[in-house]
């Protein structure tokens, strides 16, 4: 959270000591900073992979009780999606900074084109998050956008609108 600043790090440590009544524990520091653990982020992405809007919104509601920084959650989602892409692209890729089982599960359940689309939507959503009426609704819209615009591999290729087809038939030279 100090973003590389020693002075900010020491200030945050002082705040954590005060917030934790003399003890520095992960749970209290996480609560103090409004950060969210990795598991809820993985759960959000698994709900997306399952195309489960109800589970997705429930997980967001659960996270909201922790007073999170939704921009930070989007950052975490972007980092996970990057690792998923690396795992899908490079066989045997291992990253010790993340739960390898979770990354492998997401890499198995998500199509590569879904991962790329989700990454792009999260990038744009990150930029637009401050424009939302409130952080939660902005974050929900980003997640619902991922769910809504998810490619459907079973769908037929896009067809030309009928009016264009009819006009092309009239223009045919016989």
């Amino acid at each position: 959270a100090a973003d590389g600043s020693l002075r900010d790090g020491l200030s945050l440590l002082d705040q954590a000591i005060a917030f934790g009544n003399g003890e520095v524990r992960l749970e209290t520091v996480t609560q103090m900073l409004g950060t969210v653990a990795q598991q809820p982020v993985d759960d959000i992405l698994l709900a997306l992979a399952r195309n489960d809007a109800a589970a997705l919104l429930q997980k967001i509601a659960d996270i909201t009780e922790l007073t999170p920084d939704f921009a930070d959650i989007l950052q975490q989602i972007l980092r996970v999606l990057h690792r998923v892409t690396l795992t899908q692209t490079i066989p045997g890729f291992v990253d010790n900074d993340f739960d390898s089982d979770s990354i492998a599960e997401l890499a198995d359940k998500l199509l590569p084109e879904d991962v790329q689309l989700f990454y792009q939507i999260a990038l744009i959503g990150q930029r637009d998050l401050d424009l939302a009426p409130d952080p939660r609704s902005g974050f929900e819209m980003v997640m619902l956008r991922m769910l809504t615009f998810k490619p459907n591999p079973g769908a037929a290729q896009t067809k030309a609108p009928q009016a264009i087809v009819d006009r092309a038939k009239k223009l045919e030279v016989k």
Side-chain angles (χ1 to χ4, degrees), residues 150-169:
K150 183 177 174 183
N152 184 356
Q157 293 294 330
T158 305
K159 295 180 182 177
Q162 192 59 43
I164 294 173
V165 173
D166 291 343
R167 190 174 339 136
K169 286 181 180 177

Side-chain angles (χ1 to χ4, degrees), residues 53-144:
L56 177 68
L57 292 174
Q58 182 58 54
K59 185 47 67 179
I60 293 170
D62 294 345
I63 290 172
T64 300
E65 293 178 13
L66 303 172
T67 60
D69 176 355
F70 286 105
D72 182 60
I73 296 172
L74 272 177
Q75 283 285 318
Q76 289 182 50
I77 287 172
L78 286 164
R79 285 191 287 274
V80 169
L81 291 172
H82 174 248
R83 294 318 189 277
V84 168
T85 297
L86 289 172
T87 301
Q88 289 174 332
T89 306
I90 304 167
F93 177 79
V94 176
D95 186 350
N96 294 327
D97 291 340
F98 289 83
D99 178 9
S100 59
D101 292 336
S102 178
I103 297 294
E105 181 180 7
L106 287 166
D108 186 51
K109 291 187 181 215
L110 291 169
L111 296 171
E113 55 267 23
D114 290 346
V115 177
Q116 293 299 316
L117 181 62
F118 294 163
Y119 190 88
Q120 188 65 35
I121 290 171
L123 280 177
I124 293 169
Q126 189 176 27
R127 179 194 67 200
D128 295 344
L129 198 57
D130 290 335
L131 301 175
D134 60 87
R136 178 183 176 171
S137 65
F139 182 77
E140 284 177 343
M141 288 302 293
V142 171
M143 295 299 106
L144 291 171

Side-chain angles (χ1 to χ4, degrees), residues 14-35:
D14 286 340
Q15 291 175 26
I17 292 168
F19 191 80
N21 296 321
E23 294 183 349
V24 178
R25 297 195 176 277
L26 178 62
E27 300 82 27
T28 56
V29 173
T30 299
Q31 184 180 11
M32 178 188 86
L33 295 174
T35 56

